[in-house]
Amino acid sequence: MHTQRLILTLAALGVAASPALAAFSPEQAPGRLPKNVIPLSYTIAIVPNVAALSLTGRESIVLKVRAATGTIQFNSLNEKLHDVRFDGKPVKKTMSNDKAQLTTIALIKPAAVGTHTLSFSYSGKIEESAQGLFAQPYLDPSGAKRTLLSTQMEATDARRMFPCWDEPAFRATFRLTATVPAGWAAVGNMPIAKRVVRGNLATITFQDSPRMPSYLIEFSAGELAQISATKNGTQFGVWAVRGLENNGATALANAEIILADYNEYFAYPYPLPKLDSIAVPGGFQGAMENWGAITYNDQTLLLSASSSIVNRQTVFSIQAHEMAHQWNGDLVTMAWWDDIWLNESFASWMAAKETDLRNPDWKWSEAQDEDKEDAMSADARVTSHPIQQHVTDELQATNSFDPQITYSKGQAILRMFEAFLGADKFRDGIRGYIKAFAYSNATTGDLWNALNFSSGQDVRAIAAGWTEQAGFPLVSVVASCDAAGARTLQLSQKRFLLQGVDKQQASWKIPLQIRSGSDAAAHALLLTHQDQTAPAGRCDEPLSANAGALGFYRTRYDAATLAVNTRNFGRLPDPDRIALLDDQWALVEAGIDPLPTYLALAASMGSDLDTTAWIQIAGALATIEYAERGTPGHEAFAAFARSLLKPAFEQLGWNAKPNETAAVQRLRRNVIRQLGTLGDPAIIEEARKRFAAFLSDHKSISPDDQAIILNIVAQNADAATFESLHAVARAGKDETETRRYYAALMAVRDPLLAQQAAQIALSSEIPPQADSLRLQLLQRLSDRHQQLSWHEFIDNSERLLKPFAANAPLIVAQYMPEAYWSGIPLSEVEAWVRAHVPAEMGENVDRGMETARFKLAEKDRLVRDTDAYLHR
Ligand SMILES: [Zn+2]
């Protein structure tokens, strides 16, 4: 209905309505299931048996048959169906194939076009990791062993809990009933409609859900308790294992603020009666935007006296991400998994905007630069992939959740378009899109059409290059000056790669933001052809071709312009300075420009306290320091790096000052950490002194500062110090402390102590709800002890990867080669990885190995160039 109104408006304005603005029909979506039978409503009743890790269920589905058919096909996995009936009558045959994850029902006589009912009973499994309905063991606050039931359906695991049409285009209503112990609480997408207690069991029925895809179903049950509030007609709840619910107070307050902002931004009020946030202990990773019932790993939702500012930032920003999905993802869903970026990039972009809006002193937008750089490093590989990637089979869908490209690159692209179109026009386009496709599905093309309409620009033509092809451009800027000093730019582009050549000769329509001079406003310029020219101020003014650092491209200035920029570095607006640092470092890494061009910029920071710029510099210095380890030039480089960081440290000191922003405090911790790693004796001495005080009174170091101080102490620990750090870790009073203190132990440099650390990471000292921590601990150990970490990983891989469930193949294929490149022969890493992931992950392995080879080659080059620079 809303769609029709949008088309009418377009027609009235004389703009040709694109066919993609027509109402969504399932034919538009690829998928394996036939489209001739469509589910309209499910009624599902389950009885979980937690002790036996099994369940029984009864299911009835109202179907629309769109073309007469003798067979009905849908998804199932590990389920046995019996008593199958079609319109109340037995069927000819029921065949379930777990390998294909399909059940096919042959009818006695073909079903006519119209509405029918399919019903059956079934038995199934409760999973032990977060796929489908899973049982999560944990120790409650009193230390007693408990189990919680929860669900994780995205991408394709609803079929593990109940047979269904498990593809995103098949929207239907769901009425869920579950029978659980009477002492348990249960949470679903919708409020509870009915609760009937019989003996020691309770049967709970939730209200019918709105029409939604199966991957958004949520059900949690266990010894849970909640805190709640009502605002503007929406009921908010934060659920946690009993005894921890009050740690959800900040999250509850955040949720109220974020929802009110989003109601306004989307101009479409949150459509469900309630929004619950459920803190799931343990193995469950990250968070999931189930409509009306968002699940979070409890460490990303709950805060205690042990929590640091980083914990608080994580909670707010992840809530802002998951809540953005309540519109983009849940109310409007991508038609198929090849458009998963529509969900994820949008939610990440919106979350950054909201986090920045409500927490200005975090400088959150600027901090997004780190994610953007991470995405650009991944996307500068020959083997990178487009944001929109072909997913033929929904089983590949899980692998398309690539955080660097799907989330971070997509987010940066949206930010670039928002700047180019203007924030108001961009928002109006989003509003039109949400309104047109509410309770339906949409494609990337639909979003571009909505933005075309709101902005009057051909957004689709500009956007295609950014989402449909891999990589991004390097813009070359050559300035010429007339006799009066007026500057004309000549602009050209080619794909930026860290190594290798671009065989496709890709090109982009690039929305540049040009600023000449340090105070002037930037102006937008669309770069569409090679050797395009544009006037840009005066030749003696600094120049930014990526003003505001909003573009997803790199810029290379001619030598004279770079010299003017370097001279004026201290006067540049912060984001322009960050863009220049990022680009110059990337040009050095790619071997395009020499190392001194970057070091000259870093050296001109002086005592300036721009957090994001310093974090960029600290990252580059850390890369060089890692390369120099074990070489004769290491100490000379460390001394040089310390001398760059010292002026900032002298401004900052050890202790936070009153009214200091969170961003400046973050900078202090970063600089101290770097100086500690670089072996600064005064820093190490002070850290030891503070640790000694901490041992007698933990309150002497604030939660914000504990990690850096304990890390510096651990790096330099002897056996006795290691034992006191270990005692601190064992005595951690909650999971937040457990995670922080055990992580610090892994920074140890002494090889014998490192072996002890590895054994600790694998021991039962780590409580079951922190199971996923083990892999992270071994990863930290790999920084100094590659061989030890690698061997412990491959010897225990199954157990270490179990908490990561569906994401485990991506971790192995891509992240293992990226972590283990400096101490293990690459052929050994590659052989092991290929033998331990499914064959269809081959491209992911190629990406991981490309990065491993690049880092190895870069290491030698950086050592050579750094030593030459320092002996000049
Ligand atoms: Zn998301």
Side-chain angles (χ1 to χ4, degrees):
M1 202 128 118
H2 298 297
T3 310
Q4 280 164 351
R5 196 150 64 219
L6 188 56
I7 291 168
L8 281 175
T9 326
L10 284 165
L13 287 172
V15 179
S18 149
L21 269 174
F24 178 79
S25 85
E27 270 78 16
Q28 281 171 256
R32 285 198 302 160
L33 296 176
K35 309 287 197 315
N36 60 342
V37 178
I38 289 181
L40 298 176
S41 65
Y42 293 82
T43 304
I44 305 158
I46 59 163
V47 183
N49 181 338
V50 179
L53 292 174
S54 66
L55 67 92
T56 56
R58 177 85 203 145
E59 188 168 339
S60 164
I61 312 159
V62 177
L63 303 170
K64 184 166 146 192
V65 173
R66 303 163 81 220
T69 179
T71 60
I72 295 175
Q73 195 172 65
F74 49 87
N75 298 113
S76 65
L77 180 56
N78 303 328
E79 284 130 345
K80 285 197 173 55
L81 279 66
H82 49 96
D83 192 22
V84 180
R85 286 169 183 270
F86 188 74
D87 290 337
K89 298 190 186 70
V91 300
K92 189 153 77 186
K93 204 172 169 197
T94 301
M95 294 150 288
S96 293
N97 177 345
D98 282 339
K99 195 156 184 286
Q101 306 192 3
L102 292 171
T103 288
T104 308
I105 288 172
L107 302 173
I108 289 169
K109 62 173 197 201
V113 170
T115 305
H116 300 271
T117 303
L118 175 72
S119 62
F120 49 83
S121 297
Y122 70 96
S123 57
K125 271 173 71 174
I126 297 176
E127 304 288 343
E128 289 180 90
S129 54
Q131 289 181 288
L133 177 67
F134 65 94
Q136 176 62 51
Y138 64 94
L139 302 181
D140 75 8
S142 75
K145 270 192 182 160
R146 307 270 180 218
T147 302
L148 175 87
L149 287 180
S150 190
T151 51
Q152 169 58 35
M153 307 309 197
E154 193 177 20
T156 62
D157 288 323
R159 66 191 64 170
R160 290 174 190 259
M161 178 165 137
F162 56 93
C164 58
W165 275 253
D166 202 10
E167 293 178 3
F170 290 108
R171 297 180 88 95
T173 63
F174 294 85
R175 177 181 302 174
L176 181 66
T177 298
T179 300
V180 296
W184 282 19
V187 192
N189 300 86
M190 295 295 286
I192 290 172
K194 202 168 70 177
R195 187 170 189 274
V196 180
V197 178
R198 273 191 211 94
N200 55 5
L201 292 177
T203 296
I204 294 147
T205 300
F206 299 96
Q207 292 174 19
D208 289 5
S209 78
R211 291 185 63 231
M212 61 187 237
S214 50
Y215 82 89
L216 293 172
I217 293 285
E218 194 279 339
F219 171 70
S220 295
E223 298 193 15
L224 292 166
Q226 72 159 329
I227 54 172
S228 63
T230 302
K231 195 178 171 195
N232 298 330
T234 304
Q235 172 89 28
F236 293 87
V238 175
W239 295 83
V241 302
R242 212 168 281 157
L244 293 183
E245 65 272 20
N246 288 321
N247 290 353
T250 303
L252 184 65
N254 291 347
E256 292 176 37
I257 293 166
I258 296 167
L259 201 83
D261 287 341
Y262 288 179
N263 278 335
E264 210 237 301
Y265 188 86
F266 291 107
Y268 194 111
Y270 175 69
L272 270 56
K274 62 100 176 170
L275 178 60
D276 282 314
S277 307
I278 304 133
V280 179
F284 169 74
Q285 296 302 301
M288 176 63 209
E289 68 263 25
N290 316 295
W291 213 358
I294 305 173
T295 44
Y296 296 82
N297 175 294
D298 61 359
Q299 292 297 301
T300 64
L301 189 70
L302 305 180
L303 294 168
S304 69
S306 319
S307 301
S308 65
I309 174 80
V310 174
N311 296 127
R312 290 195 292 281
Q313 291 174 330
T314 301
V315 168
F316 191 100
S317 60
I318 295 187
Q319 282 186 286
H321 176 105
E322 302 307 330
M323 288 174 67
H325 277 313
Q326 303 299 301
W327 283 263
N328 208 323
D330 298 1
L331 181 61
V332 179
T333 308
M334 78 270 139
W336 180 243
W337 298 109
D338 53 0
D339 271 334
I340 184 66
W341 87 280
L342 269 185
N343 275 11
E344 297 308 340
S345 308
F346 187 88
S348 293
W349 166 81
M350 187 91 193
K353 196 176 169 74
E354 173 69 8
T355 306
D356 199 47
L357 175 73
R358 291 296 166 191
N359 307 280
D361 89 324
W362 294 355
K363 296 234 175 187
W364 197 255
S365 270
E366 248 182 69
Q368 296 308 298
D369 188 68
E370 290 153 58
D371 285 347
K372 187 176 86 172
E373 283 302 301
D374 186 38
M376 289 181 104
S377 302
D379 206 22
R381 295 189 277 221
V382 175
T383 51
S384 185
H385 63 89
I387 287 178
Q388 286 179 275
Q389 47 179 343
H390 191 54
V391 179
T392 29
D393 166 333
E394 83 277 24
L395 302 179
Q396 289 177 357
T398 303
N399 304 331
S400 58
F401 288 80
D402 168 349
Q404 291 159 314
I405 303 296
T406 311
Y407 290 60
S408 301
K409 180 181 179 183
Q411 173 191 348
I413 298 298
L414 291 176
R415 210 172 155 208
M416 178 167 73
F417 291 153
E418 184 195 25
F420 183 66
L421 301 176
D424 289 352
K425 285 178 177 162
F426 190 84
R427 182 202 58 211
D428 291 348
I430 299 296
R431 286 178 173 178
Y433 169 80
I434 293 289
K435 198 170 171 184
F437 296 99
Y439 297 102
S440 183
N441 296 56
T443 64
T444 297
D446 294 323
L447 176 64
W448 300 147
N449 283 341
L451 290 170
N452 285 356
F453 177 64
S454 67
S455 70
Q457 304 224 37
D458 192 352
V459 179
R460 190 177 204 161
I462 302 168
W466 297 96
T467 61
E468 293 171 17
Q469 63 187 356
F472 58 89
L474 168 65
V475 176
S476 294
V477 178
V478 178
S480 55
C481 313
D482 69 11
R487 177 161 52 196
T488 301
L489 305 180
Q490 189 180 25
L491 303 159
S492 54
Q493 61 162 300
K494 66 172 188 181
R495 181 171 174 188
F496 178 82
L497 290 169
L498 282 169
Q499 58 181 5
V501 288
D502 174 28
K503 293 201 183 89
Q504 277 82 39
Q505 302 201 322
S507 70
W508 288 261
K509 292 187 167 58
I510 311 172
L512 301 177
Q513 299 282 345
I514 309 271
R515 185 188 341 261
S516 183
S518 42
D519 313 319
H523 67 270
L525 172 73
L526 192 66
L527 177 60
T528 55
H529 58 273
Q530 293 296 61
D531 301 323
Q532 192 169 323
T533 56
R538 300 180 44 81
C539 281
D540 53 2
E541 293 171 338
L543 175 78
S544 177
N546 188 3
L550 296 165
F552 198 82
Y553 51 86
R554 300 224 177 269
T555 308
R556 184 177 190 227
Y557 300 96
D558 65 74
T561 308
L562 181 61
V564 175
N565 284 347
T566 305
R567 248 192 335 270
N568 289 285
F569 191 64
R571 293 174 45 220
L572 297 182
D574 287 354
D576 295 17
R577 190 153 56 172
I578 291 157
L580 188 56
L581 281 168
D582 283 335
D583 289 346
Q584 211 52 44
W585 174 245
L587 291 166
V588 168
E589 287 206 289
I592 297 171
D593 273 352
L595 180 65
T597 59
Y598 175 79
L599 293 178
L601 296 175
S604 49
M605 280 296 287
S607 59
D608 189 293
L609 295 185
D610 174 2
T611 304
T612 312
W614 271 118
I615 286 174
Q616 198 285 337
I617 293 166
L621 296 179
T623 302
I624 302 175
E625 190 273 330
Y626 192 89
E628 287 276 11
R629 281 184 200 172
T631 74
H634 184 270
E635 184 38 43
F637 172 73
F640 167 75
R642 290 194 299 264
S643 74
L644 287 186
L645 293 164
K646 252 322 183 8
F649 173 71
E650 272 150 19
Q651 290 272 309
L652 292 159
W654 272 89
N655 299 315
K657 298 173 183 68
N659 304 323
E660 211 170 45
T661 64
V664 169
Q665 293 174 26
R666 178 169 181 232
L667 175 60
R668 168 179 301 105
R669 289 190 286 277
N670 207 285
V671 168
I672 291 174
R673 183 189 314 121
Q674 292 299 330
L675 285 171
T677 303
L678 290 163
D680 186 286
I683 294 281
I684 295 169
E685 193 44 46
E686 181 65 23
R688 282 183 170 143
K689 235 161 73 189
R690 287 174 184 241
F691 179 65
F694 173 82
L695 286 178
S696 49
D697 176 13
H698 277 21
K699 288 205 177 66
S700 70
I701 305 179
S702 85
D704 294 344
D705 293 338
Q706 288 174 5
I708 52 153
I709 291 171
L710 268 59
N711 268 291
I712 294 170
V713 170
Q715 282 175 355
N716 301 287
D718 57 13
T721 311
F722 185 81
E723 207 23 69
S724 32
L725 280 161
H726 188 192
V728 166
R730 272 196 306 255
K733 65 178 184 293
D734 58 23
E735 196 181 335
T736 308
E737 289 192 349
T738 298
R739 287 179 173 265
R740 180 181 301 145
Y741 299 156
Y742 279 98
L745 273 182
M746 303 298 139
V748 64
R749 287 183 186 174
D750 181 284
L752 287 174
L753 296 176
Q755 284 183 14
Q756 281 187 43
Q759 294 319 307
I760 292 168
L762 295 163
S763 74
S764 58
E765 280 180 37
I766 310 292
Q769 60 265 42
D771 229 10
S772 65
L773 180 63
R774 299 177 195 280
L775 183 61
Q776 293 166 35
L777 294 178
L778 282 185
Q779 288 279 295
R780 287 179 63 85
L781 206 55
S782 77
D783 181 56
R784 296 266 169 193
H785 310 280
Q786 286 256 309
Q787 287 275 350
L788 170 68
S789 171
W790 169 249
H791 287 293
E792 294 297 349
F793 169 68
I794 60 174
D795 291 349
N796 300 282
S797 62
E798 212 168 300
R799 176 179 163 214
L800 291 165
L801 290 162
K802 192 177 157 219
F804 299 90
N807 293 321
L810 180 67
I811 292 175
V812 172
Q814 221 166 299
Y815 303 158
M816 290 302 147
E818 288 175 8
Y820 295 107
W821 56 270
S822 68
I824 321 293
L826 291 189
S827 55
E828 183 185 330
V829 174
E830 181 164 7
W832 191 91
V833 165
R834 290 210 191 268
H836 287 81
V837 295
E840 63 261 31
M841 299 292 293
E843 289 184 4
N844 300 82
V845 181
D846 294 344
R847 282 175 207 133
M849 292 308 303
E850 183 179 344
T851 295
R853 287 190 194 96
F854 168 73
K855 287 186 173 176
L856 204 54
E858 184 193 30
K859 178 178 151 77
D860 291 341
R861 196 154 40 81
L862 283 176
V863 169
R864 189 194 63 207
D865 295 352
T866 305
D867 292 353
Y869 176 80
L870 293 175
H871 292 106
R872 69 197 186 277

